[in-house]
Amino acid sequence: MQKGLIGKKIGMTQLFDESGKVIPVTVVEAGPCVVVQKKTVENDGYEAVQVGFGDVKVTRVNKPLAGHFKKADVAPKKVLKEFRLADTASVNVGDILKADVFAVGDRVDVVGTSKGKGTAGAIKRWNFGRLKESHGTGPVARHAGSLGACSDPSRVYKGKKLAGHLGAERVTIQNLDVVKVDAENNLIAIKGAIPGPKGGIVVLADTVKK
């Protein structure tokens, strides 16, 4: 990994390219992020950079975290995230990382928490087909239907797709294009949709795909 940032999803809009083609984009407030800690092989067994995003009141952090931020001499941050950068030596504690670490044309992976949908049926959750709405089906056209065989194996296989909790889980969208970077306002326009609601925290990193 060469670069990474923590950001906040602002919402979706559209931009136009040189030929006038409409590009749907998601705007992310990426940074400013501050380097809070450097992990080293000697102390931690691996190399990484811990980055903080979003200001928070001192009274909102517990004593261990308050001491952690005080040691780094940075203001308390709402979100902490580690990035295993290829060149951690070039980054120091206290450095500010802004949106301009990314450029137009870069490919990024975006990690976020998807919108929670609560308890959902099998049709909404797994795209099951519904049952017939006539000829004796009754008021259960959107039920899952049969779950398996009869006497053998006399049970439901593990991993069977059923109704249950939908959403509110970590989702990664890979290989998205950076369409525009506004370094002054720390805004990045990313082609397409990314997971989560408006105001949700997302993590941007250069894509693992080449």
Side-chain angles (χ1 to χ4, degrees), residues 81-95:
K81 172 70 179 176
E82 283 188 9
F83 295 97
R84 295 200 180 194
L85 303 179
D87 184 19
T88 57
S90 61
V91 183
N92 298 312
V93 174
D95 287 355

Side-chain angles (χ1 to χ4, degrees), residues 173-193:
I173 307 295
Q174 293 184 319
N175 221 25
L176 298 177
D177 290 314
V178 174
V179 179
K180 186 176 181 179
V181 177
D182 184 353
E184 184 177 348
N185 297 309
N186 280 307
L187 299 177
I188 297 178
I190 301 172
K191 183 178 180 180

Side-chain angles (χ1 to χ4, degrees), residues 117-122 125-126 161-167:
K117 308 288 185 178
T119 302
R125 190 183 186 200
W126 300 112
K161 292 179 178 178
L162 298 169
H165 186 266
L166 175 62

Side-chain angles (χ1 to χ4, degrees), residues 6-19:
I6 309 171
K8 180 173 69 173
K9 180 177 176 179
I10 302 299
M12 291 197 71
T13 183
Q14 59 188 25
L15 300 174
F16 296 89
D17 62 9
E18 294 79 6
S19 62

